[in-house]
Amino acid sequence: MADIEIVKGEFGDSYDITIYDEATGSPADLDNYDTLTLTVKTTDLVTTVLSVSLSKPTGTVGVARWAILTANTSAITVGDFIAQIDMVDTGVTTRRKTQYMTMRVLEKLD
């Protein structure tokens, strides 16, 4: 099982990813970050296959939400990938990245 699993060709759902503070083990405070971007690369980390903006749902702590669009899952191939979330404040004075996450794109069952 991968950290993130989606199905090729399926869209319209939201995928919530909770980001934890490694020092405390609690969900991370994302309030100071204005831009959250999920980047997905091939397992050799050479080719970027997807880059999408994430939102912070109101009333949550440490949650980054990916509203999956049709273009997100139609362009990506079935297989295994590496993903990472980049968090940046407005002035780009603070930038943090999550650890690498495994991502699996599954074939849609008909």
Side-chain angles (χ1 to χ4, degrees):
M1 179 170 200
D3 296 315
I4 301 171
E5 289 187 348
I6 63 170
V7 177
K8 179 173 176 57
E10 290 194 350
F11 59 93
D13 290 331
S14 293
Y15 198 102
D16 287 349
I17 302 167
T18 303
I19 301 168
Y20 289 92
D21 183 323
E22 289 184 20
T24 65
S26 300
D29 181 1
L30 303 178
D31 287 344
N32 294 329
Y33 301 107
D34 301 306
T35 305
L36 304 174
T37 305
L38 174 70
T39 301
V40 180
K41 293 188 172 203
T42 52
T43 55
D44 60 6
L45 301 175
V46 172
T47 306
T48 299
V49 295
L50 182 67
S51 182
V52 293
S53 295
L54 307 176
S55 63
K56 298 181 290 183
T58 304
T60 65
V61 177
V63 176
R65 179 170 287 165
W66 174 17
I68 302 173
L69 304 174
T70 184
N72 300 153
T73 62
S74 64
I76 198 167
T77 59
V78 171
D80 294 322
F81 302 92
I82 299 295
Q84 187 174 48
I85 297 174
D86 188 29
M87 302 165 280
V88 183
D89 69 348
T90 301
V92 192
T93 54
T94 305
R95 176 179 223 135
R96 299 282 185 264
K97 292 185 180 224
T98 63
Q99 292 184 0
Y100 291 137
M101 297 172 278
T102 57
M103 181 172 169
R104 178 166 289 152
V105 178
L106 304 167
E107 186 68 53
K108 184 176 182 177
L109 295 175
D110 290 328

